[in-house]
Amino acid sequence: MRTLDLKRTWDAALGDIQLQMTRATFDTWMKGTELAGLEDGVFVISTPSPYAVEWLANRLHRTIKQTLERHVGRSVALQFVVRSPHQSRSDDPPVRPVSVPPLTAERDTRLAAPPGDDPAGPPGNGHAMPARNEHLAADDAVSHPLQARYTFDTFIVGPSNRLAHAAALAVAERPAIAYNPLFIYGGVGLGKTHLLHAIAHEAFGKSLRPVYVSSERFTNDFIADIRSQNTEAFRARYRNVDVLLIDDIQFLAGKESTQEEFFHTFNSLHAANKQIVISSDRPPKAIMLLEDRLRSRFEGGLVCDIAPPDLETRIAILHAKAETQPLPVSPAVIELIAHRVQSNIRELEGALIRVVAHAQFGGQPLTLELAERVLREILDRPEGVELDTVLREVAHFYNVGVEDLRGPSRRKAIAYARQVAMYLSREETDASLAQVGEALGGRDHSTVLYGFEKMKESVEGDDQLRRELLAIRERLYQTRE
């Protein structure tokens, strides 16, 4: 087995193993492991600690062995070794996933530009639609074109998306066997569509028939075929497939007839052992006006989320994106952008492109000062966010009273919400430390500074905290509007 295949197999296996144990156990014993090699039929697993070798061999051997056997399709033997300090750890965040082969010339013959695109245009720009297999009818073509650059090779893996990536990779390698359905949820611009496109690319590589569509396209197709009294064509298009990938399923909420049709489509594919992959901006239980029978089917497979990326992952994403830019980007500029843009990958990449464009078209060197100036234009906080508004929205989000934030209570939930209020007050308003302290019941400026610094440090390593801050910020901006 090649080195690339070893890394790919271990990445998928780790995602599977993570589901079989507590997070603390996984982080302590499995997170630092690598599949170092395959020698005489024995899988060699390396770890940085001699104690970990003993623990893996005595406590987790059976779990690892059974999981690997499921992924390689045969019986395996294991050997655990201590990794040399000079060896790299491919699973430490951030990592570039090693997965499918890049789009070679042979594989590119299955890609054709959709109508209106220039096939002679530069690679990676616009859309690319894989051509249908010979046995596919015209109606079986992918409804939405696939981005050629959205593959597993170009997906940057970090702690916030590791499980979703591993699950998507497992589904791509073993459709309808690993996890069916696979439900991936997360905020805007975090990589859900990238993973769905990557699965579709892999399905084409296996001569399968994938269909990738948004829920809006699914709905529009259904309505159009009802009007033309041609519902059988609709069912043939969506049920005679091997992999169905539906993006933004939350938009089916409240559309009873479309939900009814999707319910039967889901059942038909699932009964035929075909893979279903769904994405949403929220988990199934949080999609209002979704029929319970659909919700239960979505929750019957694997549900995994993608959180906003941490600092190390943002830096890795920017380094990868910087390689495609017309000007060299220094590590200092990359780190500045990574620190300033925390919301999602789309905005992160957009900030880099804008900084590079200012330097390129302005005929200026791409310096830290230029990047700082451009980022100020992009990210300067909106005017008009008041301290009282921040306190009110934080209190509402954490289900406590504003007076609780101002009061003396040191209960954990209130103290935590109070420190979030300190952080957001400094980030989203022009208030000084003293003004924030006064608004929070006359607290000393040093107390506010401590709370701000604590939250600032925590936000880079806490996926849940980043989600909470983004949700509160959205409410702050909506309140202004």
Side-chain angles (χ1 to χ4, degrees):
M1 187 179 288
R2 298 177 304 168
T3 302
L4 295 182
D5 294 332
L6 286 174
K7 291 181 179 179
R8 179 179 179 178
T9 299
W10 188 239
D11 200 18
L14 277 178
D16 202 348
I17 292 169
Q18 188 174 3
L19 302 175
Q20 302 175 52
M21 58 186 63
T22 66
R23 180 171 182 174
T25 300
F26 181 86
D27 288 349
T28 302
W29 304 113
M30 296 301 305
K31 205 168 183 179
T33 59
E34 284 185 347
L35 189 52
L38 178 60
E39 301 175 2
D40 299 325
V42 177
F43 284 84
V44 180
I45 298 170
S46 68
T47 183
S49 162
Y51 186 61
V53 167
E54 181 181 347
W55 185 278
L56 292 173
N58 294 332
R59 304 290 186 92
L60 297 178
H61 182 279
R62 182 178 179 183
T63 299
I64 298 171
K65 183 176 186 293
Q66 290 178 344
T67 303
L68 264 179
E69 286 175 346
R70 284 199 300 272
H71 282 271
V72 301
R74 59 182 174 84
S75 180
V76 303
L78 304 180
Q79 179 185 0
F80 300 94
V81 299
V82 179
R83 182 168 57 250
S84 163
H86 301 293
Q87 287 179 280
S88 64
R89 280 179 51 181
S90 64
D91 67 317
D92 274 352
V95 296
R96 289 288 297 273
V98 182
S99 54
V100 299
L103 291 174
T104 60
E106 177 184 354
R107 195 169 170 192
D108 277 345
T109 61
R110 291 192 295 273
L111 299 176
D117 277 6
D118 178 9
N125 296 335
H127 298 288
M129 180 190 289
R132 61 183 71 86
N133 295 322
E134 293 179 0
H135 56 279
L136 289 179
D139 281 344
D140 291 325
V142 175
S143 298
H144 272 337
L146 299 178
Q147 285 276 10
R149 61 191 176 90
Y150 282 174
T151 67
F152 286 112
D153 281 324
T154 59
F155 191 88
I156 305 296
V157 181
S160 60
N161 60 25
R162 187 183 302 278
L163 177 59
H165 169 264
L169 191 57
V171 161
E173 291 178 335
R174 305 168 68 216
I177 298 174
Y179 310 110
N180 197 22
L182 173 62
F183 191 103
I184 302 173
Y185 72 92
V188 174
L190 296 180
K192 304 184 299 296
T193 298
H194 189 142
L195 288 177
L196 265 62
H197 282 230
I199 294 170
H201 281 305
E202 283 292 278
F204 272 107
K206 297 178 183 295
S207 297
L208 299 176
R209 295 175 294 178
V211 164
Y212 164 83
V213 292
S214 66
S215 63
E216 181 184 15
R217 178 61 180 270
F218 183 91
T219 301
N220 291 342
D221 284 356
F222 179 56
I223 293 172
D225 284 335
I226 287 178
R227 287 174 175 171
S228 64
Q229 299 182 344
N230 194 19
T231 54
E232 287 306 314
F234 174 87
R235 289 166 184 164
R237 188 182 311 125
Y238 284 102
R239 298 185 189 184
N240 295 332
V241 301
D242 296 308
V243 182
L244 177 63
L245 306 107
I246 304 284
D247 217 347
D248 291 323
I249 197 72
Q250 72 272 8
F251 292 121
L252 286 189
K255 299 171 181 174
E256 295 180 4
S257 296
T258 308
Q259 287 190 45
E260 173 81 20
E261 184 60 36
F262 184 71
F263 173 77
H264 293 299
T265 298
F266 184 104
N267 285 346
S268 175
L269 291 172
H270 201 271
N273 205 30
K274 305 301 183 182
Q275 179 68 51
I276 303 163
V277 184
I278 301 163
S279 84
S280 173
D281 65 352
R282 67 203 74 173
K285 62 183 178 182
I287 303 177
M288 305 301 292
L289 302 179
L290 182 69
E291 292 183 5
D292 288 339
R293 57 181 180 174
L294 273 179
R295 184 178 290 109
S296 68
R297 277 159 177 76
F298 295 165
E299 293 176 339
L302 175 63
V303 178
C304 52
D305 74 325
I306 300 181
D310 61 4
L311 177 62
E312 289 82 2
T313 307
R314 295 199 299 273
I315 290 174
I317 291 168
L318 288 171
H319 272 294
K321 189 70 176 178
E323 293 175 1
T324 67
Q325 298 304 305
L327 298 178
V329 185
S330 71
V333 169
I334 285 176
E335 189 164 338
L336 173 66
I337 298 173
H339 275 286
R340 295 289 301 277
V341 183
Q342 301 177 4
S343 52
N344 63 58
I345 297 166
R346 199 170 295 153
E347 291 185 10
L348 191 69
E349 293 181 343
L352 174 65
I353 291 170
R354 188 161 175 177
V355 167
V356 172
H358 270 70
Q360 182 182 15
F361 299 118
Q364 308 171 64
L366 208 172
T367 62
L368 204 56
E369 292 72 22
L370 171 68
E372 183 71 62
R373 187 171 71 251
V374 174
L375 290 175
R376 274 201 302 270
E377 294 174 6
I378 302 172
L379 303 173
D380 267 357
R381 67 175 71 96
E383 296 179 1
V385 177
E386 302 292 338
L387 262 178
D388 287 345
T389 304
V390 173
L391 300 190
R392 185 177 66 249
E393 293 302 334
V394 170
H396 179 271
F397 185 85
Y398 290 109
N399 199 27
V400 300
V402 173
E403 290 307 313
D404 293 325
L405 300 180
R406 291 175 171 149
S409 175
R410 295 187 177 182
R411 283 199 300 119
K412 186 175 181 180
I414 293 176
Y416 179 81
R418 188 182 293 130
Q419 288 183 337
V420 170
M422 293 173 181
Y423 177 80
L424 287 174
S425 294
R426 289 290 289 160
E427 287 282 303
E428 301 299 330
T429 77
D430 294 316
S432 66
L433 292 171
Q435 288 171 323
V436 175
E438 184 63 30
L440 285 168
R443 284 176 164 78
D444 187 79
H445 77 280
S446 61
T447 302
V448 177
L449 179 61
Y450 172 79
F452 172 77
E453 293 293 345
K454 183 177 180 181
M455 286 291 111
K456 185 177 180 180
E457 181 179 347
S458 299
V459 72
E460 294 301 347
D462 189 332
D463 293 345
Q464 184 60 32
L465 176 58
R466 286 199 297 278
R467 287 195 198 94
E468 292 169 1
L469 292 174
L470 288 173
I472 297 170
R473 280 184 167 119
E474 286 178 4
R475 289 184 60 85
L476 286 174
Y477 301 150
Q478 288 169 1
T479 301
R480 288 181 63 255
E481 295 168 359

